[in-house]
Structure formats: C-alpha cells, structure tokens
Amino acid sequence: KQEVTQIPAALSVPEGENLVLNCSFTDSAIYNLQWFRQDPGKGLTSLLLIQSSQREQTSGRLNASLDKSSGRSTLYIAASQPGDSATYLCAVRDYNTDKLIFGTGTRLQVFP
Amino acid sequence: GAVVSQHPSWVICKSGTSVKIECRSLDFQATTMFWYRQFPKQSLMLMATSNEGSKATYEQGVEKDKFLINHASLTLSTLTVTSAHPEDSSFYICSASRGGLSTDTQYFGPGTRLTVL
C-alpha cells in the first residue's frame, strides 16, 4: 500500500531563507508527483507537477525534484516570504491504484 | 483556465438532515470528478471517484448510501450527505480532471466546510 510521508511536519523560518521540504513515498510505481499549497480553511493550489519520467520542475522561486527510484521528492523554496506561509502537501498518483495519495503536509510559517 | 468551484463554501446543519454540496468545473469539461474529505490537521482522503453518466466508485469504508454522489453532466457533480451526524463534520474538497488518464491533472475546488450540530 502506497504511503506518503512529509518531513518536517512544521517549519518556522525568518523571511529570506531558502527552504527544503521533503516528501517520501513507499512505492516507486507512480505516474506523477504533485506539490500543492493549502491556506487555512481553503482548498488546494497546485504548485508543480512532475511526471514519473521527469527529474524536476521549476516555477518562479519554486523547484521540485523527483527521484522515483529512491521514493523521494523535495520542494525548494528560494528567498522565502511571509506570503509563503501555508501548508504544503505532496501527493503521488499511484500506479497500482490509479489514485492520488496525499502526504500529511508541512506547515510553513515565514516571519518578517 | 481549469477553475473548479464548490457551493456552498460552508454549511451548518442539524443532526439528521441532509446536505448537498455542488462541484462545478467552470471553464472545462470534466470527465472525472473526485471527492475528498479532510479532518482537522490531517491530509486529504479520497472518498469516491465519479465519471460522467455512470455510478461513482467509493473507497473502502465510505458508505455509498450515506454519501450520495451524482455526476450528471460534464461540469457538475454533487455530493449529498444524508442523515448527517456530528462525526460527518469535515472539510469536503472536490477535484476534476479533463480526461480519464492517470497522468491527467486534477484541479481542486476551494472546499466546503460542513458542521453538523
């Protein structure tokens, strides 16, 4: 059964720091991996989607990498800002079940 | 593009009543729609998958008679929580994808907060 874990569960940093959020999954048989942002009480905003054949994707200050064989992905946030404060979720589209399996999230707080 | 809306954004109801939540794809046709539930400080759990014009597929442990899903058109899916109880209080999020391929992106709605008194 596919399981997705995110470390750390919470992170508090001063503005301007570069951050790395980690996501690991137990079964490398995936179609893709996606990173989302969720603000309190809100829905999900898709940040980056990496297909299983890709190694990384970039959007602005965000860079996500995927190492499928080791079951890991990282989300790199450059020059963090208070507006980046949110919960970040990663999810894999599992090959065996064809379902999107979510991690438990990392709650990020960036203070001025 | 690829906007998904949900209505209502929040609802409070009495125990024993039924509540309907709508999920709409505003600018694309959604072959497949998904319903998720999220309890406080937990991640999203898939409840069911629905394809337009056919019966929904429910995940193990989700009562299909309690959570009625209808996907009557390519832009609308509804989730009805029947005879709601306080333990059904949760954040319900839908998503929609254009096609049925496993590599198709799911676009998520803003969620509906259900509180059952």
Side-chain angles (χ1 to χ4, degrees):
Chain A
K1 178 185 172 185
Q2 179 76 265
E3 293 183 358
V4 182
T5 305
Q6 290 185 245
I7 294 173
L11 187 61
S12 182
V13 299
E15 181 177 10
E17 278 205 5
N18 299 323
L19 310 171
V20 175
L21 307 183
N22 297 294
C23 173
S24 61
F25 46 97
T26 54
D27 190 338
S28 61
I30 64 171
Y31 286 107
N32 54 52
L33 182 145
Q34 204 163 353
W35 283 92
F36 296 89
R37 169 185 173 135
Q38 184 176 32
D39 292 290
K42 303 294 184 182
L44 305 183
T45 299
S46 179
L47 299 174
L48 292 164
L49 183 148
I50 312 176
Q51 300 292 353
S52 62
S53 59
Q54 298 175 324
R55 299 283 293 183
E56 67 176 345
Q57 283 286 336
T58 299
S59 176
R61 293 183 294 108
L62 305 179
N63 175 277
S65 66
L66 173 64
D67 185 342
K68 196 176 70 167
S69 61
S70 68
R72 296 184 181 186
S73 175
T74 60
L75 177 66
Y76 177 81
I77 303 176
S80 59
Q81 303 171 358
D84 295 330
S85 299
T87 294
Y88 290 81
L89 297 167
C90 76
V92 299
R93 189 73 181 257
D94 183 65
Y95 180 86
N96 292 314
T97 62
D98 200 21
K99 294 171 188 169
L100 205 55
I101 310 296
F102 283 84
T104 49
T106 294
R107 290 192 312 280
L108 172 65
Q109 182 180 13
V110 182
F111 54 90
Chain B
V3 178
V4 177
S5 71
Q6 283 184 240
H7 179 79
S9 56
W10 60 270
V11 57
I12 301 173
C13 69
K14 292 182 179 180
S15 185
T17 61
S18 294
V19 175
K20 180 184 284 187
I21 303 170
E22 292 185 349
C23 176
R24 294 182 184 272
S25 55
L26 298 184
D27 51 3
F28 69 100
Q29 292 187 327
T31 300
T32 308
M33 287 187 169
F34 307 83
W35 287 95
Y36 294 83
R37 181 167 51 184
Q38 185 179 33
F39 291 108
K41 297 190 177 180
Q42 294 186 27
S43 195
L44 279 74
M45 297 298 293
L46 180 66
M47 297 175 66
T49 302
S50 72
N51 291 294
E52 185 265 338
S54 60
K55 289 184 179 180
T57 302
Y58 291 81
E59 294 302 298
Q60 191 172 11
V62 177
E63 300 173 57
K64 59 176 133 182
D65 293 333
K66 181 170 186 60
F67 298 99
L68 301 179
I69 293 172
N70 183 282
H71 192 166
S73 77
L74 286 171
T75 59
L76 173 65
S77 175
T78 60
L79 167 67
T80 301
V81 183
T82 62
S83 187
H85 291 285
E87 58 265 30
D88 298 324
S89 298
S90 187
F91 194 54
Y92 292 87
I93 303 177
C94 74
S95 70
S97 65
R98 289 186 173 91
L101 296 179
S102 299
T103 51
D104 286 333
T105 301
Q106 289 185 29
Y107 301 97
F108 285 79
T112 296
R113 171 77 57 195
L114 170 63
T115 302
V116 184
L117 302 176

